[in-house]
Structure formats: C-alpha cells, structure tokens
Amino acid sequence: MGIFGNKSAGTETPDSHLTFFSVSDANEFRAATRQVFAELGYEVDVYPDHAVDRAGRKFGFWNIAAVCQSEPHQVWPGLIRGHLQRLLTSFDTPDPFQGLSPADIPGRTFARLYEESVVPELDGHPHREFAPGVIEMLALDLPDTVAVFRHENARTYGGYAALREQGLANLHGLDVERLEHMTPPEGGTVTALIGESFYTASRALLLPGLATELTGKQIREDYGWLMCIPNRHQVAWHVIEDDSVIGAVSGMARFAAAGYTNSPGPLSPHVYWWNGTGYEQLTEVSDDGGLTVRVGPDFQAVLESVMAAR
C-alpha cells in the first residue's frame, strides 16, 4: 500500500528515513548539516535521521528537514544553522526546575508522548515504552518552553508514580478542541482528536476510556482497537466491532503517514493495534518509502473472527 507522498523525490527513490526527500536530496541535507556543525565548531557523527556530537548529545533531523524540503537547496545551510544555534543555546539555559516550589509542579505536569529516536540521553529520564518507537515521559509545561523531567527532578517532586498519575489527570482535564469522524473510502469509521495543544496526541494514553467518553462506544476486549498518533496535535482511533476494521486500517495508514510527514512535532507514521496487553505495530516503512500492512497471528485471528461474523 503506497501511502507516502514525496514532493522532492519525483521519480527518484524516497529516502527510507527522511521520507519526504529523495535519497540524493537526503544525502545532500546530511552533508549540509555536517558542514554547518563544523562551521559552528562541533565534530559530529551523522546517521540517517540524527547526528551525535562528542558530548553524546543527539540532534534529530526530522523537524528541520521538514522545513528544508519545501525550500530551495541554497537556503538549507542558513535554515540548518539557525535551527542548530537555537538548540545549542537551549543546552546552556538555566535549569527550568530551579526556583520552582513543590506547589508549582502538579498543575504543570503532563504525561507526554515522544518519538523515541529523537530523544537525547534517554536513560537520564524516567520513561516507558508506549508503543514501538514511541515513549511516554513526564513533561513540565512552562510559559516559554516544555521541560522534561530527569530522574533527579522526579525524585525531588514526589516520585515518578505520583507525577505520572498527576500528568494523566492533567491530560484528562484538557479541552476537546476538535473531534472529527472520518469515513475512509474502503469503509469503517475513524475518530480523530485534533488540536493546537502540544499534548493532544498524548491523550492516546487515556484510551480506551477516552473513546468511550467521547463517542459512547464500548470496547470489546477480544477485539481491541486501532490507534495512530501522527504528530503531537493528532490522535485517531477505531473501535473494532466488525469487518469495517479492514477499511479503517487503510484509512488510518494514510492519515498517519500524511500527518507524520507534513506536520511539526512528528510522533509516528504507523498504525497500532491494542492486543490486550500492549500496542502491536501493524504497518512498516519499506525500503522505497512506501507503507505496508503487517498482520501478525493475533491480529489475523481478529480479522478472521470479524469476517466469520458477517
């Protein structure tokens, strides 16, 4: 199932990591990034979707690459330089937790989802896997920035378990900005929660209760549900009830791929299925940048069950 569009690739093969670029454009972007780092006085190792400096700090490419892909190649170095200078400056800013009292913390703490591959020094932060490639962390919402709790911050302000409980409660308290019900051409209904909040997609942590609360649909534990979180501003789901799940998978795959490729704060291009104990990834990116559906034995059993009930 070919899902990804690619403005710059034309007839060339899309890059398998920066999928809106062709392979040649992606390599040019990586070379430009290495050069800008060198001009700023930093030696880095460049990988397909990130760079690592000698201090072990990781710099993800996706957000700045998404900006560059719609601009002429000759302006890329300037865009990359401005982006890196902002990042490097942020490393030297005062600790955002300094000066905060314990009373400041609860109302500002949110459980938040992040794309695992772009988080530097992950071991320094309390976290857990939410779905393949996506992690849950604790975020402190401040007027000008969002800080991520380190282990020492969590210990200081009540411990991970209590902070996570508060973070989930604060997610639940957010306004519902926009709820859309989409019908893919292949059939099925997909519900999407969309908003400007940096925490909209993180409300996936509230499923399946969120789905029941907003749509009235009850979850069949033997079937589960589909979920995708293309970027920080979108979460979509489909409650599995019948064979319309087949069309929903296809529609959600397109929705997730487009939202991941074309929006800020990308999280995941994939569709996931709740298998009763955790999320199982149903889609994968092929070498040519296309998206294919991968059906494991447990999800196959669900498909066979809903088909038999027709």
Side-chain angles (χ1 to χ4, degrees), residues 64 78-91 93:
I64 183 57
L79 294 172
I80 295 168
R81 183 176 295 104
H83 175 75
L84 291 179
Q85 286 174 328
R86 288 190 293 273
L87 284 177
L88 291 165
T89 298
S90 71
F91 288 137
T93 57

Side-chain angles (χ1 to χ4, degrees), residues 2-304:
I3 301 295
F4 286 109
N6 191 300
K7 292 181 181 178
S8 66
T11 57
E12 291 187 60
T13 301
D15 188 79
S16 59
H17 290 84
L18 304 176
T19 52
F20 37 69
F21 280 145
S22 66
V23 170
S24 58
D25 281 354
N27 287 335
E28 182 176 342
F29 169 83
R30 295 177 186 113
T33 301
R34 184 192 297 274
Q35 180 62 34
V36 171
F37 266 114
E39 292 169 358
L40 293 173
Y42 292 87
E43 183 180 352
V44 296
D45 294 320
V46 174
Y47 298 92
D49 60 356
H50 68 281
V52 179
D53 69 8
R54 289 297 173 261
R57 298 179 299 193
K58 184 177 178 181
F59 300 81
F61 288 161
W62 188 275
N63 284 343
I64 183 57
V67 173
C68 288
Q69 62 94 21
S70 61
E71 300 293 338
H73 290 207
Q74 59 266 31
V75 305
W76 287 5
L79 294 172
I80 295 168
R81 183 176 295 104
H83 175 75
L84 291 179
Q85 286 174 328
R86 288 190 293 273
L87 284 177
L88 291 165
T89 298
S90 71
F91 288 137
D92 298 324
T93 57
D95 181 352
F97 289 86
Q98 285 183 354
L100 294 176
S101 72
D104 295 325
I105 300 299
R108 295 183 177 277
T109 298
F110 289 84
R112 185 177 176 185
L113 298 177
Y114 290 86
E115 185 176 18
E116 183 175 6
S117 65
V118 301
V119 178
E121 302 177 348
L122 183 58
D123 289 343
H125 306 273
H127 65 277
R128 72 177 188 92
E129 182 180 86
F130 171 69
V134 181
I135 56 171
E136 175 193 342
M137 304 178 76
L138 291 173
L140 183 70
D141 192 68
L142 297 169
D144 298 319
T145 188
V146 175
V148 179
F149 280 78
R150 298 187 65 83
H151 288 295
E152 54 267 30
N153 305 131
R155 287 192 293 267
T156 298
Y157 294 107
Y160 173 74
L163 287 167
R164 181 174 186 265
E165 183 177 353
Q166 181 65 58
L168 292 172
N170 288 340
L171 283 180
H172 191 269
L174 293 174
D175 292 334
V176 175
E177 296 183 73
R178 192 163 98 239
L179 192 67
E180 295 189 1
H181 302 286
M182 304 176 290
T183 303
E186 301 87 347
T189 299
V190 176
T191 302
L193 182 59
I194 301 169
E196 294 301 315
S197 169
F198 279 26
Y199 306 103
T200 301
S202 298
R203 296 181 77 168
L205 289 161
L206 305 179
L207 291 172
L210 180 69
T212 301
E213 179 182 337
L214 296 182
T215 67
K217 286 194 173 184
Q218 299 295 324
I219 304 296
R220 282 193 53 163
E221 294 296 333
D222 54 340
Y223 286 174
W225 63 90
L226 306 179
M227 180 276 300
C228 67
I229 38 174
N231 58 72
R232 65 192 178 204
H233 302 296
Q234 299 175 328
V235 54
W237 63 84
H238 169 82
V239 176
I240 302 175
E241 300 172 300
D242 51 36
D243 61 352
S244 67
V245 63
I246 297 172
V249 171
S250 297
M252 289 180 71
R254 286 193 297 274
F255 177 79
Y260 180 79
T261 302
N262 299 321
S263 301
L267 278 175
S268 173
H270 296 297
V271 178
Y272 300 93
W273 167 59
W274 180 263
N275 63 15
T277 59
Y279 281 108
E280 184 174 315
Q281 183 177 312
L282 295 183
T283 55
E284 59 185 10
V285 180
S286 58
D287 291 340
D288 64 0
L291 202 66
T292 57
V293 176
R294 178 183 61 196
V295 177
D298 292 338
F299 190 62
Q300 179 65 39
V302 170
L303 295 179
E304 292 173 357

